[in-house]
Amino acid sequence: MEDRSDSIYEYSPAGSRSTFYTGSNLIFGVALDSSGNVYAAQPFVHQILKITPGAGVSVFADATSGLVTPVGMKFGPNGDLYVADDNNTIEEITPAGVETTFYYGGLHSPNDVAFDKSGNLYISDSSGTSIFEVTPSGTKSTFAGGLSAPEGIAFDASGNLYVANQAANNLIKITPTGSESVFATGLNEPVGVAVDRLGNVFVGNYGTNSVLEYAPSGVPSTFASGLNGPEFLAFSVPAATPEPGTLALIGSCGIVAFGLLQRRRRK
């Protein structure tokens, strides 16, 4: 998870918190590979860090490879990292750090990405109202519309997509056929979304400095509180084990440093 302390926090399934990493620049998106390495997007210094437990921190990608404002990111089925760049592109980065632009055109401040079981990529267009679907060959279509500044997105094991509908302060559930329903209401600037292997949905509720947990039935509880603007969430993913149980929470820095992205969130 990210909060405004420039930190990455790690939560056990029981809710015990520890600090995994603290730096000096704003952190937005986070992703974990099958080896336990953590990748942290730092949009205002135009780079992605690779944090190897016990081995330190290195720059995985930066402006020299084409990054502008990296935000949400996920690993694809091919092992490459796909990054929503607020510069209106989706970047693809190999494990060796080679970057190419996977998709551009018709995006408006993409905030997060997610993959379905067929390898299709979904993009939340946070300055617009849509979730886009891009096939492995690069064909784009609108998967869902009529949203209000959609931000974090995540799939459950049944192929349902959960969307943090930030400006409407609710959480939307979209079935594989594209049917939309309101899964949860009464949120306060929801941003990040993650789903565990049991179908529980976790939401970074930025406006209340907390992470909420929703059972598959929709019953809410507070998983973590006392944070400082929690945003992106991610589960650790050991090899062959989808969504185990350790939740990483990423933190962003002080409100003054949010710049364009902060203003966009507050619109």
Side-chain angles (χ1 to χ4, degrees), residues 96-107:
V98 177
E99 180 179 346
T100 57
T101 297
F102 175 74
Y103 188 82
Y104 66 93
L107 300 176

Side-chain angles (χ1 to χ4, degrees), residues 131 147 150-153 161-165 170-172 174 193:
I131 302 293
L147 300 167
E151 300 223 356
I153 55 176
L161 183 66
Y162 292 85
V163 181
N165 203 25
N170 60 22
L171 186 66
I172 301 297
I174 309 174
V193 180

Side-chain angles (χ1 to χ4, degrees), residues 16 33 58 100 103 146 189 192 228 261:
S16 176
D33 66 20
S58 60
T100 57
Y103 188 82
E189 295 190 78
N228 193 9
L261 294 180

Side-chain angles (χ1 to χ4, degrees), residues 50-253:
K50 180 179 180 179
I51 306 166
T52 302
V57 181
S58 60
V59 175
F60 178 66
D62 59 19
T64 62
S65 62
L67 280 180
V68 180
T69 313
V71 193
M73 52 192 183
K74 299 282 194 321
F75 280 95
N78 61 357
D80 291 350
L81 184 63
Y82 290 77
V83 183
D85 194 311
D86 199 63
N87 193 44
N88 298 327
T89 65
I90 304 300
E91 301 298 310
E92 178 180 359
I93 309 174
T94 69
V98 177
E99 180 179 346
T100 57
T101 297
F102 175 74
Y103 188 82
Y104 66 93
L107 300 176
H108 303 88
S109 297
N111 183 266
D112 202 8
V113 295
F115 284 91
D116 67 14
K117 292 180 179 180
S118 298
N120 298 304
L121 177 68
Y122 294 75
I123 305 166
S124 63
D125 209 34
S126 66
S127 285
T129 60
S130 301
I131 302 293
F132 296 117
E133 176 184 354
V134 181
T135 67
S137 63
T139 300
K140 173 182 159 232
S141 60
T142 299
F143 178 69
L147 300 167
S148 299
E151 300 223 356
I153 55 176
F155 281 99
D156 66 15
S158 299
N160 299 302
L161 183 66
Y162 292 85
V163 181
N165 203 25
Q166 188 261 341
N169 291 316
N170 60 22
L171 186 66
I172 301 297
K173 178 180 179 180
I174 309 174
T175 68
T177 59
S179 176
E180 297 181 31
S181 61
V182 176
F183 183 74
T185 60
L187 297 165
N188 191 333
E189 295 190 78
V191 181
V193 180
V195 184
D196 71 13
R197 60 186 175 185
L198 300 178
N200 299 302
V201 183
F202 296 77
V203 181
N205 205 30
Y206 183 93
T208 61
N209 297 317
S210 62
V211 175
L212 303 180
E213 178 181 356
Y214 291 87
S217 62
V219 176
S221 60
T222 299
F223 178 77
S225 59
L227 298 163
N228 193 9
E231 296 192 324
F232 289 88
L233 317 176
F235 282 95
S236 58
V237 186
T241 308
E243 309 293 18
T246 301
L247 183 66
L249 303 169
I250 306 305
S252 22
C253 70

